[in-house]
């Protein structure tokens, strides 16, 4: 068995744009555009980028909430996109998702007990007494009380609701959890508690995480490796220390420069990234970052750079940028 729990190859998710009375397809939004990467067992891979870069779509395509347009998803050695019957059910049980908004992701008409019993009902696991016992265990594992079982979501704070979502995600003892901005809707004071809970659960339950966030300080706190996404593509992928100490891609460098840091007792002024993310309906040719890149060259607007390793010293650090790849100089 390989070290990789998840292997994604050339994954695409395009959404059709339809117009007119006959709803003819007039274009496509390339939200995820030919992405390949893997996640190792037990690691936390961070996926970071500005809003609209496609990171949430990628998370949803991996779990098949959005059916991928093309590509391959190998999970634990099995072909997820072609799996059927009991194999498909097993993979679905092993990959769970935590969403950003714990208000929207919990049905307000269901008690916490009903919410947490649902995964066992769907998969036909345990009898009713065993389900109740397991639900009470789950509540305690995530830092709530067994006596909360008959309460409704509105009776909890935002942080407690996210704990309930986490309890639902771990109910079936999954191998991989895709956490999509799990703390960005919460007060800053609560964020650290939820991040620490996720870290504890990872150790206790041997979980692997894909952690999606726009917030690089959260990514730095939690992740082993980091993938930076821009306009449907991964532009840099590296171990956390390398990405934060030696970012190669100009987009990653700009994102890091925009993190407010406390230096010599004074808060640095937050520098913003120039310009807006272009529309994924009509992305710029070549490197899609070129309209915003201070280091762009002639080749950048003509050819798409591959995501590649550029140094024998750092085999695990890959970047899609012509600054590091041989190319013909344009006249
Ligand atoms: Fe900038 Fe060119 Fe690198 Fe794109 S390929 S990030 S435009 S230098």
């Amino acid at each position: 068995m390989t070290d990789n729990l998840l292997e994604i190859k050339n994954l695409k998710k395009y959404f059709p744009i339809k117009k007119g009375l006959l709803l003819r397809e007039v274009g496509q939004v390339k939200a995820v555009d030919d992405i390949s990467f893997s996640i190792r067992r037990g690691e936390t891979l961070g996926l970071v980028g500005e809003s609209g870069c496609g990171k949430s779509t990628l998370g949803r395509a991996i779990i098949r909430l959005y059916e991928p347009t093309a590509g391959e998803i190998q999970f634990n050695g099995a072909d997820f996109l072609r799996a059927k019957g009991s194999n498909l059910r097993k993979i679905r049980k092993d990959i769970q998702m935590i969403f950003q908004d714990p208000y929207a992701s919990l049905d307000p008409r269901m008690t916490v007990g009903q919410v947490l019993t649902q995964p066992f009902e769907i998969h036909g696991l345990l009898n009713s007494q065993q389900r109740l016992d397991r639900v009470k265990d789950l509540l305690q594992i995530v830092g709530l009380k067994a006596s909360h079982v008959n309460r409704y979501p509105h009776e909890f704070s935002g942080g407690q609701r996210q704990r309930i979502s986490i309890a639902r995600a771990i109910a079936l003892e999954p191998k991989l959890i895709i956490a999509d901005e799990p703390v960005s809707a919460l007060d800053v004071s609560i964020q650290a508690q939820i991040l620490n809970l996720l870290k504890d659960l990872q150790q206790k339950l041997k979980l692997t995480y894909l952690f999606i966030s726009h917030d690089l300080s959260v990514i730095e706190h939690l992740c082993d490796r980091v993938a930076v996404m821009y306009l449907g593509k991964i532009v840099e992928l590296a171990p956390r220390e390398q990405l934060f100490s030696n970012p190669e891609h100009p987009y990653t460098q700009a994102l890091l420069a925009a993190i407010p840091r406390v230096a010599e007792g004074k808060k640095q002024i937050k520098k913003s990234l120039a310009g807006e993310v272009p529309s994924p309906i009509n992305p710029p040719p070549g490197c899609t970052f070129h309209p915003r890149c201070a280091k762009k060259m002639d080749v950048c607007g003509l050819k798409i750079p591959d995501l590649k390793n550029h140094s024998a010293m750092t085999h695990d650090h890959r970047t899609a940028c012509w600054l590091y790849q041989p190319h013909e100089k344009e006249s």
Side-chain angles (χ1 to χ4, degrees):
M1 193 159 286
T2 89
D3 270 357
N4 292 332
L5 180 62
L6 184 80
E7 288 181 29
I8 303 289
K9 284 195 192 132
N10 307 110
L11 196 72
K12 296 180 183 174
K13 178 62 199 174
Y14 296 173
F15 294 100
I17 305 164
K18 295 186 175 170
K19 271 199 179 151
L21 268 181
L22 298 174
L23 292 178
R24 271 195 316 122
E25 189 172 323
V26 292
Q28 288 176 319
V29 178
K30 297 181 175 180
V32 172
D33 194 12
D34 205 5
I35 281 184
S36 302
F37 68 98
S38 51
I39 306 183
R40 298 167 191 156
R41 287 170 205 281
E43 81 167 341
T44 300
L45 178 73
L47 184 61
V48 72
E50 291 166 285
S51 65
C53 69
K55 53 193 191 306
S56 289
T57 305
L58 175 58
R60 284 167 167 75
I62 291 172
I63 203 169
R64 292 182 65 185
L65 271 180
Y66 296 152
E67 204 54 44
T69 308
E72 288 178 37
I73 303 175
Q74 292 283 328
F75 178 77
N76 207 20
D79 183 341
F80 187 18
L81 295 184
R82 283 169 198 82
K84 291 200 170 76
S86 62
N87 288 340
L88 178 62
R89 279 197 296 282
K90 175 152 183 6
I91 300 174
R92 289 208 182 278
K93 179 173 153 297
D94 279 345
I95 310 180
Q96 297 292 327
M97 191 145 184
I98 301 168
F99 296 91
Q100 173 178 356
D101 186 352
Y103 295 81
S105 65
L106 298 174
D107 187 332
R109 295 159 303 178
M110 292 169 82
T111 64
V112 170
Q114 289 168 327
V115 167
L116 296 182
T117 305
Q118 244 184 355
F120 303 107
E121 288 170 356
I122 291 168
H123 288 270
L125 300 170
L126 310 180
N127 64 35
S128 53
Q129 184 57 49
Q130 288 168 328
R131 286 175 187 169
L132 182 61
D133 292 343
R134 178 74 181 132
V135 165
K136 288 180 175 174
D137 280 351
L138 284 167
L139 285 170
Q140 287 169 322
I141 290 169
V142 298
L144 296 169
K145 293 185 182 147
S147 58
H148 287 155
V149 71
N150 291 320
R151 293 198 190 170
Y152 287 88
H154 74 265
E155 297 177 68
F156 294 90
S157 67
Q160 287 174 319
R161 266 185 272 222
Q162 199 54 303
R163 286 176 192 270
I164 297 165
S165 301
I166 293 169
R168 182 176 54 186
I170 62 169
L172 298 175
E173 300 177 12
K175 292 185 168 61
L176 173 68
I177 290 187
I178 299 175
D180 185 4
E181 302 270 11
V183 296
S184 33
L186 305 176
D187 285 353
V188 175
S189 57
I190 308 294
Q191 289 186 357
Q193 293 174 16
I194 298 296
L195 293 176
N196 288 336
L197 172 64
L198 289 170
K199 262 189 169 175
D200 286 351
L201 291 175
Q202 181 170 40
Q203 284 199 336
K204 279 188 202 144
L205 307 176
K206 299 192 175 21
L207 291 166
T208 302
Y209 289 139
L210 174 63
F211 192 91
I212 301 170
S213 178
H214 69 282
D215 185 340
L216 270 164
S217 29
V218 169
I219 293 275
E220 189 176 17
H221 181 76
L222 202 77
C223 300
D224 302 302
R225 291 190 304 144
V226 184
V228 180
M229 205 168 161
Y230 187 77
L231 219 58
K233 290 187 183 296
I234 290 179
V235 296
E236 185 161 4
L237 204 167
R240 177 193 55 204
E241 306 77 38
Q242 278 182 33
L243 190 108
F244 281 86
S245 63
N246 184 28
E248 291 184 340
H249 198 283
Y251 178 57
T252 313
Q253 292 165 358
L255 283 181
L256 286 173
I259 304 180
R261 299 227 178 231
V262 177
E264 294 168 7
K266 289 183 192 159
K267 208 169 187 186
Q268 283 185 346
I269 294 169
K270 190 174 172 179
K271 291 186 226 158
S272 62
L273 196 57
E276 299 288 321
V277 181
S279 163
I281 298 171
N282 190 17
C287 167
T288 52
F289 187 58
H290 84 260
R292 303 171 81 190
C293 181
K295 298 179 181 169
K296 71 168 173 252
M297 303 168 287
D298 288 343
V299 65
C300 301
L302 301 171
K303 291 184 188 163
I304 301 172
D306 290 332
L307 185 67
K308 274 188 182 168
N309 172 244
H310 307 295
S311 159
M313 307 281 289
T314 56
H315 68 281
D316 217 10
H317 192 158
R318 292 187 289 148
T319 307
C321 176
W322 286 118
L323 286 173
Y324 309 93
Q325 295 181 27
H327 57 272
E328 285 175 20
K329 303 267 182 295
E330 311 298 323
S331 56

